[in-house]
Amino acid sequence: MTTLRSALFLAGALILTSIYGVLVPVSRVLGRKQPFILARSYTRVMLRWIEASIGLSYEVRGWENVPSEPVVVMAKHQSAWETLFLEARLPDQCWIVKRELLWLPFVGWGLMAVRCIAIDRSSGIAAREQVVQQGARRLKEGLWVTIFPEGTRVAPGKRGRYGIGGALLATRTGAPILPIAHNAGEFWPRYAFRKRPGRVKVVIGPLIRTEGRDAVSVNNEVQEWIEGQMRVISGRTNGDA
């Protein structure tokens, strides 16, 4: 049954992604705001389709911590599920993504339309400076900036190295950080065709203030909070990847 439901989900997801992958970039002719509206519509429809086809829903703690002003979002990365959730439920945002994603049909077109910051992860310091400079402009324009500090999807029970780019952006601009933990990877494993039904637990943390602080201490605080929450919601001990 799990295999059948996963196949049903994939078929619907391909159709939805193909449709919105054209509509989102084309909508730029209607102004800067329209692609964000359609991107949010796509991810909300996808979340409903995930629940209907796979039986995977979610619960959230910490909505009261979501502010009205632009922030830097730093979230755990275990699957593709959280990318849909964050886009669907948070304000207009700019994503920090690896450059290779722009080469994907439909998905890449949509990412360009919502003005993501595409970096070459192998470029080190240059990539961090790109995040800081372009991210600062996006924040000034009123967009939120979303980054997965581990840089790639990490299996449940594992912990990747937390890159410092998001913390640098936050400390140099004074923007607070909104940390988010979840256990989506327990139901939607990395690169796995089979997705399991269940209920994803999402925890949104209190804002981490960054003004007058150094990036290293901020990054450490983000990591400690996220990984501490992961131990609570997953019941696993997260070790170094």
Side-chain angles (χ1 to χ4, degrees), residues 126-179:
R128 291 198 295 271
E129 286 303 313
Q130 180 185 356
V131 169
V132 171
Q133 293 175 14
Q134 295 186 23
R137 288 199 291 269
R138 302 292 194 274
L139 289 167
K140 191 174 182 180
E141 293 168 4
L143 294 176
W144 292 32
V145 177
T146 300
I147 186 169
F148 296 117
E150 291 166 291
T152 190
R153 285 170 284 185
V154 177
K158 299 293 184 180
R159 179 178 63 197
R161 184 183 67 83
Y162 277 55
I164 203 166
L168 277 173
L169 169 61
T171 54
R172 291 191 189 178
T173 60
I177 291 173
L178 187 69

Side-chain angles (χ1 to χ4, degrees), residues 40-216:
R40 182 172 295 109
S41 172
Y42 163 68
T43 51
R44 289 180 174 177
V45 170
M46 281 288 288
L47 287 177
R48 288 195 290 270
W49 176 238
I50 288 168
E51 185 168 2
S53 59
I54 300 173
L56 182 58
S57 60
Y58 62 91
E59 61 183 61
V60 183
R61 287 195 291 112
W63 280 124
E64 68 278 6
N65 295 320
V66 178
S68 56
E69 74 273 12
V71 297
V72 176
V73 177
M74 295 179 68
K76 189 70 178 176
H77 197 18
Q78 291 187 337
S79 72
W81 182 90
E82 60 268 20
T83 64
L84 300 170
F85 169 80
L86 294 172
E87 180 66 32
R89 300 307 305 272
L90 295 181
D92 292 349
Q93 58 201 279
C94 162
W95 290 76
I96 310 298
V97 302
K98 58 184 179 182
R99 187 175 57 186
E100 293 83 356
L101 290 180
L102 299 187
W103 304 339
L104 296 176
F106 305 115
V107 173
W109 306 340
L111 287 172
M112 286 187 284
V114 295
R115 305 176 61 224
C116 73
I117 299 173
I119 62 171
D120 177 2
R121 292 189 299 182
S122 66
S123 63
I125 294 175
R128 291 198 295 271
E129 286 303 313
Q130 180 185 356
V131 169
V132 171
Q133 293 175 14
Q134 295 186 23
R137 288 199 291 269
R138 302 292 194 274
L139 289 167
K140 191 174 182 180
E141 293 168 4
L143 294 176
W144 292 32
V145 177
T146 300
I147 186 169
F148 296 117
E150 291 166 291
T152 190
R153 285 170 284 185
V154 177
K158 299 293 184 180
R159 179 178 63 197
R161 184 183 67 83
Y162 277 55
I164 203 166
L168 277 173
L169 169 61
T171 54
R172 291 191 189 178
T173 60
I177 291 173
L178 187 69
I180 298 178
H182 63 86
N183 65 339
E186 295 179 11
F187 309 95
W188 187 312
R190 181 183 183 185
Y191 301 135
F193 169 74
R194 287 165 55 98
K195 283 87 174 170
R196 296 193 299 109
R199 194 167 182 85
V200 178
K201 297 177 181 177
V202 181
V203 185
I204 302 173
L207 289 177
I208 295 175
R209 300 295 172 181
T210 64
E211 289 183 287
R213 300 181 59 187
D214 66 278
V216 173

